[in-house]
PDB file of all heavy atoms in Angstrom:
ATOM      1  N   ASP A  16     101.015 106.475  95.334  1.00  0.00           N
ATOM      2  CA  ASP A  16     101.177 107.966  95.385  1.00  0.00           C
ATOM      3  C   ASP A  16     102.549 108.297  96.014  1.00  0.00           C
ATOM      4  O   ASP A  16     102.843 107.812  97.069  1.00  0.00           O
ATOM      5  CB  ASP A  16     100.051 108.648  96.270  1.00  0.00           C
ATOM      6  CG  ASP A  16      98.781 108.750  95.488  1.00  0.00           C
ATOM      7  OD1 ASP A  16      98.507 108.022  94.548  1.00  0.00           O
ATOM      8  OD2 ASP A  16      97.973 109.655  95.892  1.00  0.00           O
ATOM      9  N   ASN A  18     104.778 111.393  97.315  1.00  0.00           N
ATOM     10  CA  ASN A  18     104.675 112.801  97.634  1.00  0.00           C
ATOM     11  C   ASN A  18     105.946 113.389  98.102  1.00  0.00           C
ATOM     12  O   ASN A  18     106.123 113.728  99.297  1.00  0.00           O
ATOM     13  CB  ASN A  18     103.559 113.012  98.684  1.00  0.00           C
ATOM     14  CG  ASN A  18     102.195 112.534  98.169  1.00  0.00           C
ATOM     15  OD1 ASN A  18     101.750 112.924  97.098  1.00  0.00           O
ATOM     16  ND2 ASN A  18     101.549 111.656  98.869  1.00  0.00           N
ATOM     17  N   VAL A  46     100.252 114.820  93.284  1.00  0.00           N
ATOM     18  CA  VAL A  46      98.808 114.847  93.291  1.00  0.00           C
ATOM     19  C   VAL A  46      98.311 116.110  94.102  1.00  0.00           C
ATOM     20  O   VAL A  46      97.362 116.780  93.609  1.00  0.00           O
ATOM     21  CB  VAL A  46      98.184 113.561  93.924  1.00  0.00           C
ATOM     22  CG1 VAL A  46      96.738 113.642  94.071  1.00  0.00           C
ATOM     23  CG2 VAL A  46      98.570 112.348  93.177  1.00  0.00           C
ATOM     24  N   PHE A  47      99.013 116.503  95.112  1.00  0.00           N
ATOM     25  CA  PHE A  47      98.523 117.666  95.857  1.00  0.00           C
ATOM     26  C   PHE A  47      99.669 118.715  96.020  1.00  0.00           C
ATOM     27  O   PHE A  47      99.836 119.280  97.010  1.00  0.00           O
ATOM     28  CB  PHE A  47      98.042 117.294  97.270  1.00  0.00           C
ATOM     29  CG  PHE A  47      96.778 116.397  97.295  1.00  0.00           C
ATOM     30  CD1 PHE A  47      96.810 115.042  97.601  1.00  0.00           C
ATOM     31  CD2 PHE A  47      95.637 116.943  96.883  1.00  0.00           C
ATOM     32  CE1 PHE A  47      95.697 114.282  97.585  1.00  0.00           C
ATOM     33  CE2 PHE A  47      94.402 116.186  96.869  1.00  0.00           C
ATOM     34  CZ  PHE A  47      94.477 114.887  97.234  1.00  0.00           C
ATOM     35  N   ARG A 113      91.488 120.162 101.666  1.00  0.00           N
ATOM     36  CA  ARG A 113      91.686 120.022 100.256  1.00  0.00           C
ATOM     37  C   ARG A 113      90.340 120.010  99.536  1.00  0.00           C
ATOM     38  O   ARG A 113      89.302 120.083 100.174  1.00  0.00           O
ATOM     39  CB  ARG A 113      92.462 118.670  99.949  1.00  0.00           C
ATOM     40  CG  ARG A 113      91.541 117.440 100.298  1.00  0.00           C
ATOM     41  CD  ARG A 113      92.318 116.116  99.931  1.00  0.00           C
ATOM     42  NE  ARG A 113      91.310 114.994 100.067  1.00  0.00           N
ATOM     43  CZ  ARG A 113      91.768 113.722 100.051  1.00  0.00           C
ATOM     44  NH1 ARG A 113      92.980 113.375  99.848  1.00  0.00           N
ATOM     45  NH2 ARG A 113      90.823 112.763 100.130  1.00  0.00           N
ATOM     46  N   HIS A 148      97.655 111.706  85.483  1.00  0.00           N
ATOM     47  CA  HIS A 148      96.693 111.488  86.559  1.00  0.00           C
ATOM     48  C   HIS A 148      96.013 112.840  86.807  1.00  0.00           C
ATOM     49  O   HIS A 148      96.512 113.701  87.490  1.00  0.00           O
ATOM     50  CB  HIS A 148      97.484 110.988  87.776  1.00  0.00           C
ATOM     51  CG  HIS A 148      96.773 110.714  88.992  1.00  0.00           C
ATOM     52  ND1 HIS A 148      96.000 111.615  89.730  1.00  0.00           N
ATOM     53  CD2 HIS A 148      96.730 109.568  89.732  1.00  0.00           C
ATOM     54  CE1 HIS A 148      95.513 111.069  90.803  1.00  0.00           C
ATOM     55  NE2 HIS A 148      95.944 109.856  90.841  1.00  0.00           N
ATOM     56  N   ASN A 151      92.221 114.619  91.433  1.00  0.00           N
ATOM     57  CA  ASN A 151      92.197 113.516  92.376  1.00  0.00           C
ATOM     58  C   ASN A 151      90.759 113.345  92.860  1.00  0.00           C
ATOM     59  O   ASN A 151      90.067 114.251  93.369  1.00  0.00           O
ATOM     60  CB  ASN A 151      93.072 113.761  93.558  1.00  0.00           C
ATOM     61  CG  ASN A 151      93.249 112.566  94.414  1.00  0.00           C
ATOM     62  OD1 ASN A 151      93.899 111.580  94.037  1.00  0.00           O
ATOM     63  ND2 ASN A 151      92.649 112.514  95.522  1.00  0.00           N
ATOM     64  N   GLU A 152      90.217 112.154  92.644  1.00  0.00           N
ATOM     65  CA  GLU A 152      88.890 111.778  93.233  1.00  0.00           C
ATOM     66  C   GLU A 152      87.899 112.919  93.100  1.00  0.00           C
ATOM     67  O   GLU A 152      87.423 113.451  94.074  1.00  0.00           O
ATOM     68  CB  GLU A 152      89.049 111.396  94.701  1.00  0.00           C
ATOM     69  CG  GLU A 152      89.894 110.091  94.831  1.00  0.00           C
ATOM     70  CD  GLU A 152      89.833 109.551  96.272  1.00  0.00           C
ATOM     71  OE1 GLU A 152      89.499 110.338  97.231  1.00  0.00           O
ATOM     72  OE2 GLU A 152      90.074 108.384  96.513  1.00  0.00           O
ATOM     73  N   ASN A 248      91.497 109.203  89.056  1.00  0.00           N
ATOM     74  CA  ASN A 248      91.082 108.102  89.898  1.00  0.00           C
ATOM     75  C   ASN A 248      89.727 108.284  90.488  1.00  0.00           C
ATOM     76  O   ASN A 248      89.383 109.313  91.083  1.00  0.00           O
ATOM     77  CB  ASN A 248      92.098 108.002  91.090  1.00  0.00           C
ATOM     78  CG  ASN A 248      92.425 109.339  91.778  1.00  0.00           C
ATOM     79  OD1 ASN A 248      92.287 110.404  91.183  1.00  0.00           O
ATOM     80  ND2 ASN A 248      92.840 109.275  93.007  1.00  0.00           N
ATOM     81  N   PHE A 249      88.864 107.256  90.292  1.00  0.00           N
ATOM     82  CA  PHE A 249      87.468 107.279  90.713  1.00  0.00           C
ATOM     83  C   PHE A 249      87.417 106.942  92.158  1.00  0.00           C
ATOM     84  O   PHE A 249      88.037 105.907  92.603  1.00  0.00           O
ATOM     85  CB  PHE A 249      86.659 106.254  89.959  1.00  0.00           C
ATOM     86  CG  PHE A 249      86.476 106.522  88.479  1.00  0.00           C
ATOM     87  CD1 PHE A 249      85.983 105.506  87.674  1.00  0.00           C
ATOM     88  CD2 PHE A 249      86.781 107.696  87.913  1.00  0.00           C
ATOM     89  CE1 PHE A 249      85.739 105.725  86.330  1.00  0.00           C
ATOM     90  CE2 PHE A 249      86.568 107.968  86.550  1.00  0.00           C
ATOM     91  CZ  PHE A 249      86.046 106.921  85.704  1.00  0.00           C
ATOM     92  N   VAL A 250      86.644 107.606  92.948  1.00  0.00           N
ATOM     93  CA  VAL A 250      86.477 107.324  94.340  1.00  0.00           C
ATOM     94  C   VAL A 250      85.161 106.638  94.433  1.00  0.00           C
ATOM     95  O   VAL A 250      84.196 107.047  93.834  1.00  0.00           O
ATOM     96  CB  VAL A 250      86.596 108.588  95.207  1.00  0.00           C
ATOM     97  CG1 VAL A 250      85.628 109.642  94.851  1.00  0.00           C
ATOM     98  CG2 VAL A 250      86.355 108.207  96.728  1.00  0.00           C
ATOM     99  N   ASP A 272      90.133 103.894  93.330  1.00  0.00           N
ATOM    100  CA  ASP A 272      90.680 103.850  94.707  1.00  0.00           C
ATOM    101  C   ASP A 272      89.758 103.062  95.478  1.00  0.00           C
ATOM    102  O   ASP A 272      88.573 103.181  95.427  1.00  0.00           O
ATOM    103  CB  ASP A 272      90.750 105.299  95.282  1.00  0.00           C
ATOM    104  CG  ASP A 272      91.657 106.179  94.463  1.00  0.00           C
ATOM    105  OD1 ASP A 272      92.390 105.714  93.614  1.00  0.00           O
ATOM    106  OD2 ASP A 272      91.619 107.401  94.758  1.00  0.00           O
ATOM    107  N   HIS A 273      90.352 102.134  96.240  1.00  0.00           N
ATOM    108  CA  HIS A 273      89.486 101.238  97.028  1.00  0.00           C
ATOM    109  C   HIS A 273      89.986 100.967  98.413  1.00  0.00           C
ATOM    110  O   HIS A 273      91.144 100.586  98.681  1.00  0.00           O
ATOM    111  CB  HIS A 273      89.409  99.856  96.271  1.00  0.00           C
ATOM    112  CG  HIS A 273      88.348  99.005  96.927  1.00  0.00           C
ATOM    113  ND1 HIS A 273      88.560  97.760  97.434  1.00  0.00           N
ATOM    114  CD2 HIS A 273      87.029  99.292  97.219  1.00  0.00           C
ATOM    115  CE1 HIS A 273      87.452  97.292  97.967  1.00  0.00           C
ATOM    116  NE2 HIS A 273      86.511  98.206  97.838  1.00  0.00           N
ATOM    117  N   TYR A 274      89.059 101.297  99.325  1.00  0.00           N
ATOM    118  CA  TYR A 274      89.297 101.168 100.734  1.00  0.00           C
ATOM    119  C   TYR A 274      88.194 100.380 101.428  1.00  0.00           C
ATOM    120  O   TYR A 274      87.242 100.901 101.953  1.00  0.00           O
ATOM    121  CB  TYR A 274      89.429 102.628 101.348  1.00  0.00           C
ATOM    122  CG  TYR A 274      90.582 103.412 100.801  1.00  0.00           C
ATOM    123  CD1 TYR A 274      90.434 104.293  99.747  1.00  0.00           C
ATOM    124  CD2 TYR A 274      91.870 103.219 101.256  1.00  0.00           C
ATOM    125  CE1 TYR A 274      91.523 104.934  99.194  1.00  0.00           C
ATOM    126  CE2 TYR A 274      92.946 103.907 100.722  1.00  0.00           C
ATOM    127  CZ  TYR A 274      92.733 104.723  99.639  1.00  0.00           C
ATOM    128  OH  TYR A 274      93.835 105.383  99.134  1.00  0.00           O
ATOM    129  N   GLU A 319      94.623 103.201  93.986  1.00  0.00           N
ATOM    130  CA  GLU A 319      94.979 103.408  95.454  1.00  0.00           C
ATOM    131  C   GLU A 319      94.328 102.289  96.243  1.00  0.00           C
ATOM    132  O   GLU A 319      93.114 101.998  96.045  1.00  0.00           O
ATOM    133  CB  GLU A 319      94.440 104.751  95.942  1.00  0.00           C
ATOM    134  CG  GLU A 319      95.114 105.979  95.445  1.00  0.00           C
ATOM    135  CD  GLU A 319      94.534 107.238  96.064  1.00  0.00           C
ATOM    136  OE1 GLU A 319      94.067 107.149  97.277  1.00  0.00           O
ATOM    137  OE2 GLU A 319      94.615 108.258  95.406  1.00  0.00           O
ATOM    138  N   GLN A 320      95.081 101.805  97.219  1.00  0.00           N
ATOM    139  CA  GLN A 320      94.562 101.017  98.318  1.00  0.00           C
ATOM    140  C   GLN A 320      95.448 101.363  99.521  1.00  0.00           C
ATOM    141  O   GLN A 320      96.476 101.979  99.372  1.00  0.00           O
ATOM    142  CB  GLN A 320      94.564  99.534  98.016  1.00  0.00           C
ATOM    143  CG  GLN A 320      96.044  98.957  97.789  1.00  0.00           C
ATOM    144  CD  GLN A 320      96.062  97.537  97.511  1.00  0.00           C
ATOM    145  OE1 GLN A 320      95.372  96.745  98.047  1.00  0.00           O
ATOM    146  NE2 GLN A 320      97.039  97.132  96.657  1.00  0.00           N
ATOM    147  N   ALA A 321      95.075 100.933 100.720  1.00  0.00           N
ATOM    148  CA  ALA A 321      95.974 101.292 101.884  1.00  0.00           C
ATOM    149  C   ALA A 321      96.578 100.038 102.470  1.00  0.00           C
ATOM    150  O   ALA A 321      96.082  98.909 102.241  1.00  0.00           O
ATOM    151  CB  ALA A 321      95.076 101.986 102.923  1.00  0.00           C
ATOM    152  N   TYR A 325      90.569 100.951 107.034  1.00  0.00           N
ATOM    153  CA  TYR A 325      89.795 101.973 107.769  1.00  0.00           C
ATOM    154  C   TYR A 325      88.422 101.298 108.039  1.00  0.00           C
ATOM    155  O   TYR A 325      87.759 100.995 107.078  1.00  0.00           O
ATOM    156  CB  TYR A 325      89.601 103.191 106.917  1.00  0.00           C
ATOM    157  CG  TYR A 325      90.753 103.714 106.183  1.00  0.00           C
ATOM    158  CD1 TYR A 325      90.576 104.394 104.966  1.00  0.00           C
ATOM    159  CD2 TYR A 325      92.030 103.582 106.707  1.00  0.00           C
ATOM    160  CE1 TYR A 325      91.721 104.856 104.219  1.00  0.00           C
ATOM    161  CE2 TYR A 325      93.156 104.143 106.005  1.00  0.00           C
ATOM    162  CZ  TYR A 325      92.960 104.748 104.749  1.00  0.00           C
ATOM    163  OH  TYR A 325      94.057 105.205 104.105  1.00  0.00           O
ATOM    164  N   PHE A 356      97.924 104.118  98.310  1.00  0.00           N
ATOM    165  CA  PHE A 356      98.093 105.403  98.912  1.00  0.00           C
ATOM    166  C   PHE A 356      98.782 105.129 100.227  1.00  0.00           C
ATOM    167  O   PHE A 356      98.189 104.438 101.052  1.00  0.00           O
ATOM    168  CB  PHE A 356      96.745 106.209  99.232  1.00  0.00           C
ATOM    169  CG  PHE A 356      97.073 107.422 100.034  1.00  0.00           C
ATOM    170  CD1 PHE A 356      97.485 108.528  99.286  1.00  0.00           C
ATOM    171  CD2 PHE A 356      96.996 107.469 101.375  1.00  0.00           C
ATOM    172  CE1 PHE A 356      97.729 109.743 100.013  1.00  0.00           C
ATOM    173  CE2 PHE A 356      97.298 108.646 102.016  1.00  0.00           C
ATOM    174  CZ  PHE A 356      97.703 109.790 101.334  1.00  0.00           C
ATOM    175  N   GLU A 366      96.617 113.205 107.051  1.00  0.00           N
ATOM    176  CA  GLU A 366      96.536 111.790 106.913  1.00  0.00           C
ATOM    177  C   GLU A 366      97.778 111.071 107.424  1.00  0.00           C
ATOM    178  O   GLU A 366      98.164 110.028 106.831  1.00  0.00           O
ATOM    179  CB  GLU A 366      96.207 111.474 105.472  1.00  0.00           C
ATOM    180  CG  GLU A 366      94.808 111.981 105.078  1.00  0.00           C
ATOM    181  CD  GLU A 366      94.368 111.528 103.729  1.00  0.00           C
ATOM    182  OE1 GLU A 366      95.191 111.319 102.820  1.00  0.00           O
ATOM    183  OE2 GLU A 366      93.124 111.443 103.482  1.00  0.00           O
ATOM    184  N   TYR A 369      97.446 107.264 107.941  1.00  0.00           N
ATOM    185  CA  TYR A 369      96.795 106.449 106.911  1.00  0.00           C
ATOM    186  C   TYR A 369      97.761 105.431 106.317  1.00  0.00           C
ATOM    187  O   TYR A 369      97.370 104.803 105.259  1.00  0.00           O
ATOM    188  CB  TYR A 369      96.211 107.339 105.807  1.00  0.00           C
ATOM    189  CG  TYR A 369      94.792 107.954 106.203  1.00  0.00           C
ATOM    190  CD1 TYR A 369      94.657 108.347 107.580  1.00  0.00           C
ATOM    191  CD2 TYR A 369      93.767 108.097 105.301  1.00  0.00           C
ATOM    192  CE1 TYR A 369      93.426 108.840 107.944  1.00  0.00           C
ATOM    193  CE2 TYR A 369      92.595 108.626 105.680  1.00  0.00           C
ATOM    194  CZ  TYR A 369      92.428 108.975 106.997  1.00  0.00           C
ATOM    195  OH  TYR A 369      91.203 109.532 107.383  1.00  0.00           O
TER     196      TYR A 369
HETATM  197  C1  GLA B 723      91.999 108.841  98.762  1.00  0.00           C
HETATM  198  C2  GLA B 723      92.756 109.959  98.261  1.00  0.00           C
HETATM  199  C3  GLA B 723      94.111 110.030  98.855  1.00  0.00           C
HETATM  200  C4  GLA B 723      94.095 109.741 100.275  1.00  0.00           C
HETATM  201  C5  GLA B 723      93.464 108.508 100.584  1.00  0.00           C
HETATM  202  C6  GLA B 723      93.485 108.122 101.982  1.00  0.00           C
HETATM  203  O1  GLA B 723      92.008 107.682  98.060  1.00  0.00           O
HETATM  204  O2  GLA B 723      92.891 109.924  96.868  1.00  0.00           O
HETATM  205  O3  GLA B 723      94.684 111.276  98.546  1.00  0.00           O
HETATM  206  O4  GLA B 723      93.340 110.766 100.914  1.00  0.00           O
HETATM  207  O5  GLA B 723      92.135 108.500 100.110  1.00  0.00           O
HETATM  208  O6  GLA B 723      92.870 107.013 102.330  1.00  0.00           O
END
Side-chain angles (χ1 to χ4, degrees):
D16 278 25
N18 299 307
V46 176
F47 293 110
R113 68 176 188 191
H148 179 299
N151 191 70
E152 295 190 338
N248 49 337
F249 294 168
V250 56
D272 297 348
H273 188 237
Y274 296 96
E319 289 183 28
Q320 61 178 325
Y325 316 147
F356 176 82
E366 294 186 332
Y369 281 38

